[in-house]
Amino acid sequence: MKKLFLSIALLFVCAFGLVACGNKVSEELEAAAKYLDGMYLSGEVVDGAFVAKAEETPDDYSVVSKVIGLGKAFDIEWSIEMISGNPDDVVLTKGEKETLIIINEKSEEVAKYYLVAVIKDDKTSIEKKYEKVKPAYQLMTWEEVQAADEDSVINGSGVITGIVGTNKLTIYFENEQGGYYIYGYTPTEEVKPLLAVGKTIEVSGVKETFKGLVEFTSATVKVLADDTKTLTPKDVTETFKAAATTKDESLTKLVNQYVTIKGVTMKDITNDGKYLNFTLAGKETYVYISSSSNMVTSKEIETLKGKVQEGMEANITGMVALFNDAFYIIPNTVDSIELVIPELSDAEKVADAKEKALKLAEEKVVADLDLFTTTVYEGVSVSWTSSNPDLIANDGKLAASPAVDTEVILTAVITSGSASETVEVKVVVAAVAKMSIAEVNKLYGEENIVCVEAKVVATYNGGNGSFIADETGVAYLYTKLPEGIALGDSVKLIAKTAVYENSGKEYTRQLKTISIEKLEKEITVVKPSKVELAEIVDKFSDATTMTAEQKAEVIASPYYGRLYEFTGYVVAHQFDTYTNYGLSLTADGATFVLYQYQNDFQDEFKALVGKKVTIVAPMYGFSAQYGWRIGTYLTAVEAGEEATSTLPTAKNSVADAKVVEKGTAVELIGQVATVYNGQGFVLTDGTGGIYVYVKGDVTVSAGDIVKVTGKTDFYKAPQIGNTDLVVEKLAEGTFNADPVEMTVGEYLAMDPKDYTNFGKVVKVVGTPVVSGKYVNCKLTDEATANLYLNDDVKAALGELAGQKVEFIAVTYNQSGSYPLTMLVISYKVVTE
């Protein structure tokens, strides 16, 4: 990892200095040497005196090839003088603008060395030695990984216990100390075929914590052994019993580990079959089954659900996860639930089946019934007869929905060995009246069962959801389309109405399928209404939840559940770790209508970023933070050449480059906002800004339109690294900064985990402060933002120390608890 090591500002000059004999050293050369000390001499102040101390250099880093002294530039000749250790562990590579020190970070041997600089003019030279040490490489313990600073480099080794995904992977692995979690890993072609459950791996990555879960991100993975270990889950039954709650540290420390809990009591399945609840020793938790945790297939999920028998004992096996700091289990195989089937007599088996049959009468029948023919107990058989097969067939199929609620008697003959019993189960087949979608969209609050005939006009997340329409409106169908039903089909749907609110953050009406059948007739679809985008951009505030009054406005809004045609600019918007794409009134994305990331045609929509388009799409929900949601579009066309982006088409956007994995190849086109000291520049493209690190001459200027081809990197913020970097100037221009004017409080409140906050052009007032060779921006008595300044700006700005200055700058990166760093574009003194 490339790093530029900046030592603490010097209080005293006390480096090793050797002056060439016979010539007097110039003041400029002496000043240059002092400036170099400020950059590379490390140490601490003890009893008022500066004491030099060897600096640790665990990673690659770079040093400058020139230094300024009293306005005069001097060349530097760098070399490495080993004190102890392997010379191959510290290698120097010279460049035109800077010199790279390559560290063998995986070496287990300590290497001590001097970083030697010779600064010279035509007559004299000064030699400086800076003591450094490359520490021995060591794998971190589980506790060290948990305690490491956020965004710091972490490592670990263990056996793979679970793999989720096909291209971008989530990997669970563990050792005797604990469990680990790799997020968003894209394996190389060499590593991918080696990855398998049971393989031993060594991992290095960047630490991120998401909802309390420590993750390896931007990870590199090395498969250490050819052999595959047979996994044995850790038995944590007694630990679970002894814990006071599911939030006890004894349980939460098991996160990401492969475990088994024996002798639990199964309860039920809740929330659309995602939560399989169980209890043990007075504590309740669950097995979580979802498409997002796809170590098991859809078919295996259904098998697991079928194993849930209320009141029956089971053994639970899987991966430990946490939600709200509480322990739960993610299944990793179809055997994650193992029923402990007791020995029963034939009479007891028949009694169990009878109890199960009678439960069918507890709810009105609105869909096919599961008329089981056997149970979990061996030797049980059940046969069924319906008193009204025109409504419910003998196999439980719902043949029709009556005009009024109608009772049907289902007769079950239950047999096990010599025991047998005939049971009559009285069920009520519910009358479900056909409704228009407009009528359905008026239902909210209580759960209702409705019947609609409509056409599937758009799918969502590959068919895991969809939008259906008739001539009165559009509704969002939350559940997955079954096999045989596809986009464009007309269907008859019986469904439950529901509202998704997400703790007051969102309001979305949705339908959950009970039954769906394909119709031969064609359903007419409502024609889209043309509406100005400005009319529907109705963001309440920056708050994340709605008040009761705001929610009432959304419920009553005429925009809900309609097809619309509207025109706007396609923009990207970063939120937390997600990038959403949508329409905005303006190309800068200041007013945004959310387009959800799971929608179909996402790649096609991304390709339109920066362009003005006209789309037809349903309006189907509201977000407190963003405003109205639009669903998967039915059509999308560019709104004309005069409305398209002024920039050429690029393969990727800056917003994309900020969130993809480190090392991902990207191609960006944008405008240079500012150039920093010949080491790189900030590129902007309407979706945000990103720093492009350049090793060598920067051949572009602020305002230039450039094409950047390279790989993503990370140094305290997302950036484009120097590896395989190509910068092509397409046109010259002038960068017209349109900064976001911020108060000091707003600037300090910017979240460094929200990558849209990096590369943002801002205007903020602060006070320049000088500390040694540094000039920074004091915002409050407690907070000072670091400034990255070009040399010609630094001296001039230093003269304004203590005065109020208005800065126009680009946010660059962030370190520790400091505010975001700024690359200064321009500044002016604030006159009262």
Side-chain angles (χ1 to χ4, degrees):
M1 179 183 295
K2 180 181 295 294
K3 292 183 179 177
L4 181 62
F5 286 90
L6 300 179
S7 305
I8 64 171
L10 289 179
L11 299 179
F12 304 92
V13 178
C14 54
F16 303 89
L18 301 177
V19 182
C21 296
N23 293 299
K24 184 179 178 182
V25 177
S26 67
E27 291 183 0
E28 292 87 350
L29 191 58
E30 284 185 339
K34 292 178 181 179
Y35 192 90
L36 201 66
D37 283 341
M39 297 179 71
Y40 300 113
L41 181 63
S42 60
E44 59 186 356
V45 177
V46 179
D47 296 330
F50 181 81
V51 178
K53 184 179 179 181
E55 179 183 30
E56 283 198 352
T57 57
D59 304 310
D60 298 351
Y61 64 99
S62 60
V63 290
V64 297
S65 295
K66 291 181 181 293
V67 68
I68 305 295
L70 299 180
K72 184 176 180 181
F74 296 91
D75 293 323
I76 307 172
E77 288 291 333
W78 292 99
S79 61
I80 299 296
E81 181 182 320
M82 296 299 297
I83 301 172
S84 62
N86 187 347
D88 293 336
D89 288 344
V90 185
V91 179
L92 182 146
T93 302
K94 296 181 179 179
E96 216 176 301
K97 286 282 186 181
E98 61 183 9
T99 297
L100 182 64
I101 315 300
I102 301 173
I103 302 296
N104 180 9
E105 59 188 45
K106 292 295 182 71
S107 171
E108 297 181 0
E109 183 180 355
V110 175
K112 296 181 179 180
Y113 64 99
Y114 289 121
L115 177 64
V116 182
V118 176
I119 317 166
K120 56 187 177 181
D121 57 16
D122 295 337
K123 299 179 180 180
T124 59
S125 65
I126 295 178
E127 181 183 84
K128 291 288 186 180
K129 290 186 177 182
Y130 306 109
E131 188 175 355
K132 310 290 181 182
V133 58
K134 182 209 77 67
Y137 176 75
Q138 285 184 312
L139 285 173
M140 300 172 71
T141 65
W142 184 87
E143 288 79 7
E144 288 171 337
V145 169
Q146 302 303 306
D149 291 337
E150 198 74 0
D151 298 324
S152 64
V153 176
I154 53 176
N155 63 52
S157 177
V159 177
I160 297 177
T161 53
I163 300 176
V164 178
T166 54
N167 295 317
K168 186 164 285 192
L169 307 179
T170 293
I171 299 177
Y172 295 87
F173 69 102
E174 66 178 68
N175 55 32
E176 65 281 357
Q177 299 166 354
Y180 306 84
Y181 181 87
I182 305 172
Y183 176 75
Y185 170 62
T186 302
T188 63
E189 292 301 318
E190 294 78 16
V191 171
K192 189 172 184 178
L194 302 177
L195 292 172
V197 171
K199 292 289 187 182
T200 301
I201 57 174
E202 188 174 295
V203 184
S204 179
V206 176
K207 178 182 176 180
E208 288 190 14
T209 304
F210 179 72
K211 294 184 178 179
L213 176 66
V214 173
E215 301 173 343
F216 282 77
T217 62
S218 303
T220 57
V221 176
K222 179 180 180 182
V223 181
L224 299 180
D226 293 332
D227 62 314
T228 301
K229 295 183 179 179
T230 301
L231 300 183
T232 302
K234 179 186 294 185
D235 190 337
V236 298
T237 306
E238 296 307 315
T239 303
F240 191 91
K241 288 180 179 179
T245 71
T246 56
K247 294 187 177 184
D248 273 14
E249 185 181 9
S250 61
L251 294 179
T252 59
K253 283 185 68 174
L254 297 171
V255 65
N256 301 326
Q257 295 191 48
Y258 179 44
V259 305
T260 187
I261 310 174
K262 297 180 178 180
V264 308
T265 299
M266 301 302 298
K267 283 193 64 180
D268 52 11
I269 304 175
T270 59
N271 198 350
D272 300 316
K274 292 182 180 180
Y275 297 87
L276 285 56
N277 301 303
F278 64 87
T279 63
L280 179 65
K283 293 175 291 296
E284 180 175 329
T285 187
Y286 55 89
V287 180
Y288 179 66
I289 297 180
S290 168
S291 59
S292 63
S293 302
N294 53 356
M295 280 182 280
V296 288
T297 65
S298 298
K299 187 175 181 180
E300 289 171 338
I301 285 174
E302 293 307 311
T303 300
L304 286 169
K305 290 179 182 179
K307 291 182 179 182
V308 179
Q309 305 288 324
E310 187 174 351
M312 184 168 284
E313 187 177 330
N315 301 326
I316 304 296
T317 301
M319 315 303 302
V320 176
L322 302 179
F323 179 74
N324 286 338
D325 299 323
F327 171 106
Y328 71 95
I329 296 292
I330 297 174
N332 60 341
T333 73
V334 72
D335 298 318
S336 287
I337 298 175
E338 177 192 11
L339 293 177
V340 180
I341 302 175
E343 291 290 334
L344 297 182
S345 66
D346 288 335
E348 288 172 327
K349 292 179 182 178
V350 169
D352 172 79
K354 178 181 178 180
E355 182 181 356
K356 183 177 180 182
L358 292 173
K359 286 184 178 180
L360 295 173
E362 292 179 355
E363 294 185 12
K364 287 185 178 181
V365 178
V366 294
D368 296 343
L369 286 173
D370 177 20
L371 297 186
F372 58 95
T373 58
T374 188
T375 68
V376 295
Y377 297 103
E378 187 176 351
V380 177
S381 65
V382 185
S383 62
W384 296 87
T385 304
S386 170
S387 66
N388 188 347
D390 290 337
L391 288 183
I392 300 179
N394 291 336
D395 62 359
K397 298 290 185 183
L398 182 65
S401 294
V404 295
D405 289 358
T406 304
E407 184 178 275
V408 175
I409 297 175
L410 301 173
T411 302
V413 178
I414 307 170
T415 303
S416 178
S418 60
S420 181
E421 186 172 350
T422 300
V423 180
E424 288 189 352
V425 182
K426 295 179 181 180
V427 298
V428 175
V429 182
V432 182
K434 181 183 172 184
M435 304 176 70
S436 70
I437 287 182
E439 291 172 318
V440 169
N441 281 336
K442 293 178 182 178
L443 298 175
Y444 54 88
E446 293 183 5
E447 185 179 88
N448 297 274
I449 298 173
V450 298
C451 175
V452 296
E453 291 185 353
K455 177 181 281 190
V456 181
V457 294
T459 57
Y460 171 89
N461 195 17
N464 286 307
S466 57
F467 297 93
I468 59 172
D470 65 8
E471 60 185 351
T472 70
V474 184
Y476 171 50
L477 186 59
Y478 173 73
T479 41
K480 185 176 182 178
L481 291 174
E483 188 174 346
I485 305 292
L487 178 66
D489 287 344
S490 295
V491 297
K492 178 182 178 181
L493 176 77
I494 296 177
K496 292 181 180 179
T497 62
V499 174
Y500 178 70
E501 296 194 55
N502 191 17
S503 302
K505 297 177 183 177
E506 304 171 40
Y507 184 88
T508 302
R509 295 172 196 158
Q510 52 194 27
L511 295 175
K512 299 181 180 181
T513 304
I514 294 173
S515 67
I516 185 170
E517 60 178 289
K518 188 173 179 179
L519 297 176
E520 294 300 324
K521 64 180 180 179
E522 187 84 3
I523 300 299
T524 302
V525 174
V526 62
K527 294 185 180 299
S529 302
K530 188 172 182 179
V531 63
E532 292 298 322
L533 194 62
E535 294 180 25
I536 60 173
V537 175
D538 187 21
K539 183 176 178 180
F540 285 128
S541 67
D542 289 329
T544 58
T545 58
M546 290 181 281
T547 65
E549 292 77 11
Q550 291 164 343
K551 178 180 171 182
E553 289 179 29
V554 173
I555 292 172
S557 173
Y559 293 121
Y560 217 112
R562 298 285 301 277
L563 270 182
Y564 288 101
E565 175 190 298
F566 31 62
T567 300
Y569 290 89
V570 180
V571 296
H573 190 282
Q574 180 70 27
F575 175 69
D576 196 18
T577 58
Y578 301 107
T579 301
N580 294 312
Y581 293 83
L583 292 185
S584 173
L585 286 171
T586 54
D588 62 7
T591 48
F592 187 72
V593 179
L594 184 64
Y595 178 90
Q596 279 196 315
Y597 75 99
Q598 295 109 323
N599 286 346
D600 292 356
F601 315 124
Q602 188 68 359
D603 289 341
E604 293 89 336
F605 204 71
K606 288 180 183 179
L608 295 171
V609 167
K611 297 183 178 181
K612 195 172 188 180
V613 302
T614 297
I615 73 172
V616 172
M619 198 87 74
Y620 78 106
F622 192 90
S623 164
Q625 194 165 28
Y626 293 112
W628 286 103
R629 292 183 184 274
I630 53 176
T632 302
Y633 59 80
L634 278 62
T635 61
V637 295
E638 289 189 44
E641 290 184 4
E642 75 286 350
T644 60
S645 170
T646 57
L647 301 179
T649 302
K651 289 184 179 179
N652 309 100
S653 69
V654 165
D656 285 338
K658 290 180 179 181
V659 296
V660 296
E661 186 176 3
K662 177 182 175 182
T664 300
V666 294
E667 178 186 295
L668 308 173
I669 295 176
Q671 187 174 31
V672 178
T674 184
V675 177
Y676 171 57
N677 246 13
Q679 297 177 27
F681 58 92
V682 175
L683 181 76
T684 62
D685 71 350
T687 71
I690 193 169
Y691 186 77
V692 180
Y693 170 70
V694 179
K695 181 183 176 184
D697 289 331
V698 177
T699 57
V700 297
S701 303
D704 288 348
I705 306 298
V706 299
K707 177 180 178 182
V708 172
T709 304
K711 294 181 179 179
T712 57
D713 204 347
F714 193 99
Y715 177 58
K716 300 181 182 179
Q719 64 178 31
I720 305 301
N722 187 68
T723 304
D724 300 328
L725 179 67
V726 178
V727 179
E728 177 185 359
K729 183 161 73 173
L730 303 178
E732 293 183 353
T734 301
F735 181 73
N736 296 315
D738 184 18
V740 177
E741 190 166 354
M742 290 185 164
T743 65
V744 168
E746 289 170 338
Y747 189 89
L748 295 176
M750 282 196 290
D751 183 2
K753 293 182 181 179
D754 181 352
Y755 292 158
T756 58
N757 286 328
F758 298 109
K760 179 181 290 185
V761 181
V762 300
K763 181 191 291 184
V764 65
V765 174
T767 303
V769 291
V770 178
S771 177
K773 67 184 184 65
Y774 301 109
V775 179
N776 293 313
C777 174
K778 182 178 179 182
L779 298 171
T780 68
D781 289 339
E782 294 77 30
T784 297
N786 293 331
L787 300 180
Y788 278 55
L789 302 168
N790 291 317
D791 290 335
D792 57 342
V793 176
K794 185 183 294 183
L797 194 58
E799 298 295 324
L800 302 177
Q803 300 185 51
K804 280 191 176 181
V805 171
E806 181 187 86
F807 293 91
I808 295 178
V810 181
T811 53
Y812 175 39
N813 62 23
Q814 195 262 356
S815 178
S817 59
Y818 291 99
L820 269 61
T821 298
M822 290 186 278
L823 285 172
V824 175
I825 297 175
S826 63
Y827 61 92
K828 66 178 182 180
V829 176
V830 176
T831 55
E832 298 295 333

